[in-house]
Amino acid sequence: MKKGFVATENFKRLKEAEKLVARRGAREAGLVIVRGVYGIGKSELTERWAADSGYVFVRAKETWTKRALLDELADKMGLVKQGRNQEVQARIIGKMAVDMVPLIVDEADFLVRSTASLLEVLRDITDLTGTMCFLVGMEHFPLKVARYAHIASRVAKVVEFETLSLADVKATVTIKAEVAIDDDVTVLIHQQAKGRMRLVLNAIANIEQWAQANSWKTVSLAQVKDRALCTEFNGQQLGRRKEAL
């Protein structure tokens, strides 16, 4: 599969939100929530966007403490991690206030547990620097943030990531596939993947393997219509296996 970034409709929504929040009135209202179901490409899209734009990207962890969050931010910014929490945070704030580079936190659901202490750390940073912070989470993440009114009041925009359109899948096939794939096959990929980028990429990888094994120059619908282009693990698969045994 070829390397390459696909500017999907979700990416366009993200860029539009960035423009909107950049023109916000309240300096402290710099939080942007990006939400969507699993498998639609939130992580890949936002990480690539951060890399291309020079933004700071971190992926939240279930084991994160305040210190772990600060250390990872400091690492990404090339800052010294020695000292107390306040000292490390001060270095981060100082650099962000000068660079004004947005921060993107993937897997942001891990930031909200029994308290909002990790979100508080980010709120302090964005309040004092005026930089934007994109929090990327699952579809119910905004409800978790809403429990904390002082944090929720700083959310300038909620970006809804949706499943891929047929146009998105066609663009992905064009950019990623190393073999020519007919439009009818692209429609089948869209149907079977149910608009999830993860499954679309799996389908392309499978088609490439079949094409190589069979010396196909172009993949047509007749060649793959009876195949499962992509599969997703679920409990029903275990049930079918037990029945077969």
Side-chain angles (χ1 to χ4, degrees):
M1 191 179 303
K2 294 185 291 188
K3 294 181 179 179
F5 178 67
V6 184
T8 61
E9 292 173 15
N10 283 331
F11 180 69
K12 295 171 186 175
R13 294 183 184 99
L14 191 61
K15 290 293 292 181
E16 189 59 36
E18 182 185 28
K19 292 178 184 176
L20 184 88
V21 178
R23 300 192 297 266
R24 69 192 184 275
R27 170 188 169 93
E28 68 274 12
L31 299 182
V32 180
I33 290 178
V34 181
R35 74 169 183 173
V37 298
Y38 69 93
I40 59 176
K42 298 187 300 295
S43 296
E44 182 183 5
L45 191 157
T46 51
E47 186 171 13
R48 178 60 184 266
W49 178 46
D52 289 350
S53 304
Y55 297 167
V56 177
F57 179 93
V58 294
R59 182 171 284 113
K61 314 293 192 306
E62 195 279 332
T63 55
W64 259 11
T65 60
K66 288 182 181 180
R67 184 53 187 245
L69 187 162
L70 291 170
D71 280 352
E72 192 143 350
L73 286 177
D75 266 340
K76 291 287 183 174
M77 297 180 190
L79 299 173
V80 175
K81 295 185 295 184
Q82 280 75 27
R84 296 173 298 172
N85 286 5
Q86 301 95 306
E87 295 170 329
V88 178
Q89 188 180 47
R91 294 187 196 109
I92 293 168
I93 290 170
K95 185 168 178 60
M96 292 191 74
V98 172
D99 295 345
M100 293 303 291
V101 171
L103 169 64
I104 302 173
V105 183
D106 191 22
E107 302 291 352
D109 295 81
F110 289 131
L111 298 175
V112 185
R113 297 168 186 163
S114 57
T115 70
S117 61
L118 295 178
L119 280 176
E120 296 277 9
V121 173
L122 294 174
R123 183 201 64 164
D124 289 343
I125 293 170
T126 56
D127 271 10
L128 292 170
T129 62
T131 54
M132 283 183 277
C133 178
F134 294 81
L135 304 172
V136 185
M138 297 295 289
E139 65 267 36
H140 300 303
F141 177 61
L143 297 177
K144 297 180 181 180
V145 176
R147 299 203 303 260
Y148 307 98
H150 62 298
I151 303 292
S153 67
R154 288 164 165 79
V155 176
K157 178 73 175 174
V158 176
V159 181
E160 305 277 354
F161 268 24
E162 299 179 5
T163 53
L164 302 183
S165 66
L166 178 58
D168 287 334
V169 175
K170 285 183 177 180
T172 304
V173 168
T174 299
I175 292 172
K176 294 283 193 179
E178 293 183 343
V179 63
I181 296 175
D182 284 350
D183 285 346
D184 288 343
V185 178
T186 300
V187 172
L188 188 61
I189 293 173
H190 180 248
Q191 292 171 349
Q192 291 195 16
K194 299 178 182 178
R196 288 191 165 93
M197 178 62 84
R198 188 177 301 159
L199 296 182
V200 169
L201 295 177
N202 287 343
I204 293 172
N206 286 335
I207 289 171
E208 288 176 342
Q209 290 176 17
W210 299 331
Q212 183 178 19
N214 294 281
S215 300
W216 297 339
K217 299 294 184 182
T218 300
V219 181
S220 67
L221 183 61
Q223 292 165 320
V224 299
K225 65 179 181 179
D226 296 324
R227 297 177 185 244
L229 304 184
C230 51
T231 57
E232 186 174 18
F233 173 80
N234 57 52
Q236 292 177 347
Q237 293 172 340
L238 292 178
R240 287 196 295 269
R241 185 178 176 187
K242 288 178 180 178
E243 289 173 5
L245 295 174

